Amino acid sequence: MVYTIRETNPTFEKYQALHQTTGWNAKGLYTYEQLYQAICSSWYRVSIYDEHSLIGYGRIISDGIYQTFICDVMVHPEYQRNGIGTIIMEALLAHCKLKNIKWIQLSCAKGKQPFYQKLGFSERDADAPGMMLFFD
């Protein structure tokens, strides 16, 4: 199968349709307009298409020097386990290498660690856990 890789954001409608397959916004914390605005502020992004259908997406938030965070890596359920996630990640990582980024961070869904470990990621040390704050 030949897919088209673009370093651009998809249209709002295509993004919304793909994002809805993830269940990530089940609590409705953000509108799709807000989520789309967020991806438009990304440092780098990759959209994967099968013909005209958006089947995968991933993006990077970064200052372009040392703080880099990969987020929103998603693959349409009908295309999962076909290498699309790897294509997305390889494109994101290649851009980081091109820009001489040395430290890349990400958060992943429970059970997805093995996928990222195959790409060279490792879990943070137990004595250096991440922190978070969530406002209601």
Side-chain angles (χ1 to χ4, degrees):
M1 191 57 70
V2 177
Y3 302 112
T4 304
I5 303 169
R6 296 188 186 138
E7 296 177 325
T8 58
N9 282 318
T11 64
F12 172 83
E13 294 78 16
K14 289 180 187 287
Y15 175 78
Q16 181 179 14
L18 178 62
H19 196 281
Q20 286 175 332
T21 70
T22 66
W24 291 347
N25 199 31
K27 294 180 181 178
L29 296 175
Y30 301 99
T31 67
Y32 277 101
E33 289 78 10
Q34 290 171 315
L35 293 172
Y36 192 74
Q37 181 181 357
I39 71 165
C40 290
S41 298
S42 300
W43 180 67
Y44 182 73
R45 81 277 304 146
V46 175
S47 299
I48 309 290
Y49 295 85
D50 181 1
E51 298 280 327
H52 300 289
S53 299
L54 179 67
I55 61 169
Y57 180 82
R59 69 186 184 114
I60 299 173
I61 299 169
S62 180
D63 56 25
I65 306 296
Y66 79 102
Q67 290 293 346
T68 302
F69 190 78
I70 292 176
C71 52
D72 296 332
V73 175
M74 58 186 114
V75 177
H76 192 284
E78 294 176 13
Y79 290 85
Q80 290 176 1
R81 303 210 178 275
N82 290 316
I84 306 302
T86 300
I87 292 169
I88 293 167
M89 287 300 298
E90 287 176 349
L92 297 175
L93 295 174
H95 189 75
C96 289
K97 286 181 183 177
L98 178 70
K99 299 298 183 178
N100 202 30
I101 300 292
K102 299 186 184 327
W103 186 37
I104 303 164
Q105 304 171 74
L106 61 80
S107 294
C108 66
K110 186 176 182 178
K112 297 295 184 184
Q113 293 90 335
F115 170 75
Y116 293 103
Q117 288 168 337
K118 288 179 189 174
L119 296 166
F121 285 85
S122 59
E123 293 185 42
R124 290 180 63 123
D125 294 333
D127 64 349
M131 302 290 292
M132 68 180 231
L133 172 64
F134 186 80
F135 290 113
D136 289 338

